[in-house]
């Protein structure tokens, strides 16, 4: 099946610093990747959709200057949380779809971000 | 845009009993409906999905039914086991953007 990895699996940082999270499709070409955040005991909330080689499309209410998304290749997308604050602490999950997988999203294992 | 409602939010069943989780959606053009299982701290895992040209799909103890007219779909788990305990999310794929709109989740607890 389609495998998606995410790195790091957890990160702790100080307030005001930036954190980069990588999402990789390991065995397929991901034409589209999605970034979600999930607070404890809540559902997945879509932050943005990124297509390879083009700018990400952000959901309403998500600050594009704070959550920088880059999808430079068909196997890698990155999310950078800039000037992180404690309220940015959350579980960030990426998913990917690709050629032949246009409907199904395959999820990465998630990154738990804690901002002190 | 699409809106998905999911019920119940929590569900406790005895081991061996059946569990049913229901979702409704608003966009009649949506045509793909996946169900995901998420264990604490883990990634959501696809357990079954259904497309709008099918009314029912079954995979061993798991089945999904879709009523396009009423715009609702349900997950059925038979012969539940303790390892079925998790949070289950339904989703509907937005017909225009291919994004998933997730339900709010159902926390299933199977009591041994």
């Amino acid at each position: 099946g389609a495998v998606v990895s995410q790195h790091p699996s957890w990160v702790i940082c100080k307030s005001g610093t930036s954190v980069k999270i990588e999402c990789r499709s390991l065995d397929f070409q991901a034409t589209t990747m999605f970034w979600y955040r999930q607070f404890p005991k809540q559902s997945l909330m879509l932050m943005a959709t990124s297509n390879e080689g083009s700018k990400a499309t952000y959901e309403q209410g998500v600050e594009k200057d704070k959550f920088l998304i880059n999808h430079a290749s068909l196997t890698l997308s990155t999310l950078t949380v800039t000037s992180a604050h404690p309220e940015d602490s959350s579980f960030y999950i990426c998913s990917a779809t690709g050629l032949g997988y246009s409907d199904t999203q395959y999820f990465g294992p998630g990154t738990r971000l804690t901002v002190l | 845009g699409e809106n998905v409602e999911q019920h119940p939010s929590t569900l406790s069943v005895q081991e061996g009993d059946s569990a049913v989780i229901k979702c409704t959606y608003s966009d009649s053009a949506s045509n793909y409906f996946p169900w995901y299982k998420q264990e604490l701290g883990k990634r959501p895992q696809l357990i079954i999905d259904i497309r709008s040209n099918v009314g029912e799909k079954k995979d061993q103890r798991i089945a999904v039914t879709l009523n396009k007219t009423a715009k609702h779909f349900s997950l059925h788990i038979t012969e539940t086991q303790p390892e079925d305990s998790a949070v289950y999310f339904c989703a509907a794929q937005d017909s225009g953007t291919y994004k998933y709109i997730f339900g709010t989740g159902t926390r299933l607890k199977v009591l041994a």
Side-chain angles (χ1 to χ4, degrees):
Chain A
V3 180
V4 177
S5 70
Q6 213 171 315
H7 179 81
S9 55
W10 60 270
V11 57
I12 301 173
C13 69
K14 292 183 179 180
S15 186
T17 60
S18 295
V19 174
K20 179 184 284 189
I21 302 170
E22 293 185 349
C23 178
R24 293 181 185 273
S25 58
L26 299 186
D27 54 0
F28 69 102
Q29 293 184 324
T31 51
T32 305
M33 286 184 168
F34 304 86
W35 287 95
Y36 297 85
R37 64 190 297 183
Q38 185 177 35
F39 292 108
K41 297 187 177 181
Q42 292 190 22
S43 188
L44 293 91
M45 291 187 61
L46 181 65
M47 299 174 66
T49 303
S50 75
N51 293 295
E52 185 265 338
S54 60
K55 289 184 178 180
T57 302
Y58 290 82
E59 294 299 299
Q60 193 171 9
V62 177
E63 300 174 59
K64 61 181 181 180
D65 294 331
K66 181 170 184 61
F67 299 100
L68 302 179
I69 292 171
N70 184 277
H71 192 164
S73 77
L74 283 172
T75 59
L76 174 65
S77 176
T78 60
L79 167 67
T80 301
V81 183
T82 62
S83 187
H85 290 285
E87 56 266 30
D88 297 324
S89 299
S90 188
F91 193 49
Y92 292 86
I93 312 177
C94 69
S95 71
T97 64
L99 296 175
Y101 302 92
S102 57
D103 292 343
T104 305
Q105 292 185 25
Y106 294 92
F107 284 83
T111 297
R112 184 159 304 282
L113 170 63
T114 302
V115 184
L116 302 176
Chain B
E2 178 67 278
N3 182 52
V4 177
E5 294 188 1
Q6 183 172 347
H7 298 281
S9 56
T10 60
L11 179 60
S12 292
V13 299
Q14 290 292 329
E15 182 178 2
D17 288 349
S18 295
V20 180
I21 302 170
K22 298 181 179 181
C23 289
T24 60
Y25 61 99
S26 60
D27 184 359
S28 57
S30 293
N31 56 16
Y32 178 67
F33 307 91
W35 284 89
Y36 285 86
K37 175 184 179 182
Q38 187 180 31
E39 298 179 2
L40 188 63
K42 301 289 183 62
R43 77 181 83 194
Q45 292 195 309
L46 179 71
I47 56 171
I48 198 165
D49 56 12
I50 191 166
R51 290 180 170 77
S52 59
N53 59 347
V54 176
E56 183 174 359
K57 184 176 178 180
K58 190 173 181 180
D59 183 4
Q60 298 184 332
R61 297 187 297 110
I62 296 173
V64 56
T65 58
L66 172 65
N67 183 325
K68 286 176 59 180
T69 303
K71 289 187 283 188
H72 66 70
F73 56 112
S74 300
L75 177 72
H76 304 254
I77 306 174
T78 59
E79 302 172 24
T80 54
Q81 301 165 3
E83 50 266 39
D84 294 330
S85 297
V87 179
Y88 291 81
F89 293 99
C90 65
Q93 187 176 49
D94 184 277
S95 58
T97 64
Y98 299 103
K99 299 185 298 187
Y100 283 0
I101 308 302
F102 278 92
T104 49
T106 296
R107 186 171 301 276
L108 174 64
K109 185 178 291 186
V110 180
L111 306 171

